[in-house]
Amino acid sequence: MTFQPPKGTDDLMAPQSQAWREVLSLWDEWSGRYGFPLVMTPVLESTELFRRAVGDTTEVVTKQMYTFEDRGGRSVTLRPEGTAGVVRAYLNSGHQGAWKGAYSGPFFRYERPQGGRRRQFWQVGVEYLDVEGPAADAEVVELGYRYLESAGVPNLELLINSLGDSECRPGYVAVLREYLRGKEAKLGEDSIGLIDVNPLRVLDSKADQPVLVDAPRMVDNLCDACSRHFEAVKTLVEGLGVPFTEDHGLVRGLDYYTRTTFEYVGRQLDTAQNAVGGGGRYDGLAETLGGRPTPGVGFALGIDRIVLSVGELDRPYLEAYLVSETGPEDALQVASRLRRDGVNVDFDSEGRSVKAQFRAARRIDVAVTLVWKGEGEPIDVQTKGGRQDVPLEEVSDWFKERT
Ligand code: HAM
């Protein structure tokens, strides 16, 4: 075949897609349990939305967006992240007061592809809007942690920091800028370029960490309100039994954050791509987008990285395979009956030999093979442990008892 998927994108099918299915359905379960209904926004948004929300000087906006003109001459962008679109949707909806939404879908960033870093990747996430108190931060932080834990991400770590707000951050940024100017001789070119436009982002530079150990820290410059909020969040998260480490260098790559920021790290993964998720508060974002003041907090998790870190499931995607001794039309009827009764089963619709049907069952590695011998005959239920005859109408109960 001459056509390949675009660089940095993947085709995904069984058996690899099985782990994805499980991790995604687990997400629906956990996000639902914490009271987050589904929110869906377009994959395509106006370019200006991301420029304003994410920030003109961020790498996401300057280097990574898939931006193009549509046929009507509008500049549109494939969403590189989900918060901007969800906040836009909330503001447009006219909803007043606290609001929760969970999402799951593809996102796009033009990055240098490698393991765990794709140009099309999948995020799940939540946004909790019009909430100000630290309990909201703690609830959101806990949800991400519990979900990742139950998905089985090994060596999971939670890092927490505070970035202050419009009250205390400008003062800190000025102090930091001064400090960085004094260190210019030792900083890399990228960092020097950021000193004027966005000095906070310099703290994120991996290469310059040795120069940054003594840099002034936001936590030492928080105003009283931010400091109280940060202390309260930490106390609440601790009270929930969620372990975390304070990381004062955690600034995140998007400009909308205020106060709490956090990241979930899977220490098992390659160090460059070990953030399985991150988030924080963005109390000024709604106003940046022209809306009424609406504080909010949320996170997004990278499903590609989660699947990489939990490893592929070799569990088969089917519970049972139906082998028919009387042809595919009968198998169709029998499978239909079983499926309506809740059994996860497939069969061969092409009328292949019984031997070939058994081969297919082995290839999928199903735990149970059901042999249909004809009308009025019981189903011959075969497992690794042996075989037994079960009347068709009792097969679904047999499966229920088995689990
Ligand atoms: P983010 O840290 O840019 O945050 O992305 C969240 C997660 O998405 C990352 O930790 C990573 O697991 C995954 N991810 C990002 N880029 C890629 C990529 N190129 N390939 C594979 N995985 C990737 C946000 O997007 C914010 N919107 C999170 C948020 C929600 N903050 C508040 N609410």
Side-chain angles (χ1 to χ4, degrees):
M1 183 65 198
T2 46
F3 293 105
Q4 297 295 321
K7 191 172 172 191
T9 71
D10 306 286
D11 299 320
L12 195 66
M13 49 188 81
Q16 288 77 18
S17 56
Q18 220 19 37
W20 281 72
R21 204 184 221 185
E22 295 216 358
V23 163
L24 289 174
S25 79
L26 201 59
W27 169 251
D28 290 338
E29 210 178 289
W30 277 97
S31 55
R33 214 180 280 177
Y34 279 65
F36 286 86
L38 190 62
V39 53
M40 294 202 270
T41 63
V43 167
L44 210 56
E45 295 270 7
S46 72
T47 303
E48 191 55 23
L49 175 74
F50 299 114
R51 296 176 70 92
R52 285 230 228 148
V54 175
D56 263 335
T57 62
T58 59
E59 288 212 337
V60 169
V61 169
T62 56
K63 297 185 181 156
Q64 300 176 349
M65 294 208 300
Y66 279 90
T67 296
F68 57 95
E69 242 182 45
D70 72 8
R71 287 172 188 275
R74 306 168 195 92
S75 179
V76 290
T77 294
L78 293 177
R79 60 181 185 187
E81 65 93 51
T83 311
V86 171
V87 171
R88 180 197 55 65
Y90 170 84
L91 292 171
N92 289 346
S93 75
H95 186 97
Q96 301 282 331
W99 178 94
K100 282 177 162 177
Y103 50 90
S104 171
F107 291 81
F108 305 83
R109 293 183 194 175
Y110 195 82
E111 298 201 69
R112 198 164 51 78
Q114 46 188 293
R117 186 189 284 163
R118 317 299 299 150
R119 288 182 174 171
Q120 177 175 332
F121 56 99
W122 197 283
Q123 277 188 351
V124 299
V126 294
E127 309 301 344
Y128 193 3
L129 299 176
D130 216 357
V131 286
E132 212 163 15
D137 306 42
E139 182 183 2
V140 162
V141 167
E142 188 204 15
L143 164 58
Y145 189 84
R146 299 283 178 227
Y147 165 71
L148 291 168
E149 198 179 42
S150 88
V153 172
N155 304 333
L156 179 62
E157 267 183 46
L158 167 61
L159 309 175
I160 298 191
N161 192 22
S162 175
L163 292 182
D165 64 4
S166 54
E167 182 78 27
C168 50
R169 182 134 36 124
Y172 167 67
V173 166
V175 171
L176 178 64
R177 188 175 279 136
E178 229 17 67
Y179 172 87
L180 294 171
R181 284 217 180 99
K183 299 280 177 187
E184 252 181 61
K186 292 183 184 157
L187 290 170
E189 216 173 286
D190 285 351
S191 293
I192 293 173
L194 283 168
I195 295 178
D196 279 333
V197 287
N198 196 345
L200 270 183
R201 301 274 311 127
V202 178
L203 297 179
D204 221 14
S205 154
K206 294 229 157 60
D208 290 326
Q209 281 311 314
V211 189
L212 299 169
V213 280
D214 296 324
R217 311 183 310 172
M218 184 70 236
V219 276
D220 301 324
N221 292 273
L222 294 174
C223 59
D224 284 350
C226 284
S227 179
R228 271 199 308 275
H229 187 91
F230 190 36
E231 290 310 313
V233 170
K234 287 186 290 179
T235 305
L236 291 170
V237 172
E238 206 173 324
L240 292 166
V242 175
F244 65 89
T245 312
E246 257 184 85
D247 179 349
H248 300 130
L250 180 68
V251 290
R252 317 257 312 123
L254 314 162
D255 277 355
Y256 48 63
Y257 291 111
T258 53
R259 296 194 166 175
T260 318
T261 52
F262 53 95
E263 227 159 68
Y264 305 99
V265 174
R267 288 285 174 213
Q268 194 113 322
L269 290 170
D270 185 344
T271 48
Q273 265 69 242
N274 66 6
V276 290
R281 224 172 223 291
Y282 41 85
D283 294 344
L285 176 56
E287 283 164 279
T288 308
L289 299 180
R292 61 179 186 280
T294 311
V297 58
F299 65 72
L301 311 173
I303 294 296
D304 303 70
R305 292 183 191 177
I306 293 171
V307 170
L308 264 183
S309 69
V310 302
E312 266 156 30
L313 290 179
D314 35 20
R315 212 169 309 151
Y317 58 92
L318 271 182
E319 203 173 6
Y321 197 85
L322 176 66
V323 169
S324 170
E325 292 186 354
T326 64
E329 281 82 8
D330 285 353
L332 177 68
Q333 297 298 329
V334 174
S336 164
R337 163 80 200 248
L338 291 168
R339 287 163 172 171
R340 277 175 286 146
D341 287 346
V343 180
N344 167 223
V345 62
D346 206 2
F347 66 96
D348 164 52
S349 61
E350 296 295 289
R352 276 185 272 261
S353 71
V354 168
K355 214 166 125 189
Q357 294 178 58
F358 271 105
R359 257 202 313 276
R362 274 197 300 278
R363 210 171 31 244
I364 304 167
D365 196 25
V366 285
V368 182
T369 307
L370 304 170
V371 187
W372 168 254
K373 294 173 180 294
E375 202 54 54
E377 298 270 346
I379 301 262
D380 173 10
V381 178
Q382 305 188 4
T383 63
K384 284 200 176 70
R387 57 201 298 167
Q388 71 189 99
D389 286 338
V390 181
L392 175 58
E393 56 279 6
E394 288 169 25
V395 169
S396 68
D397 287 336
W398 180 89
F399 275 99
K400 277 176 208 131
E401 277 157 31
R402 192 169 162 266
T403 50

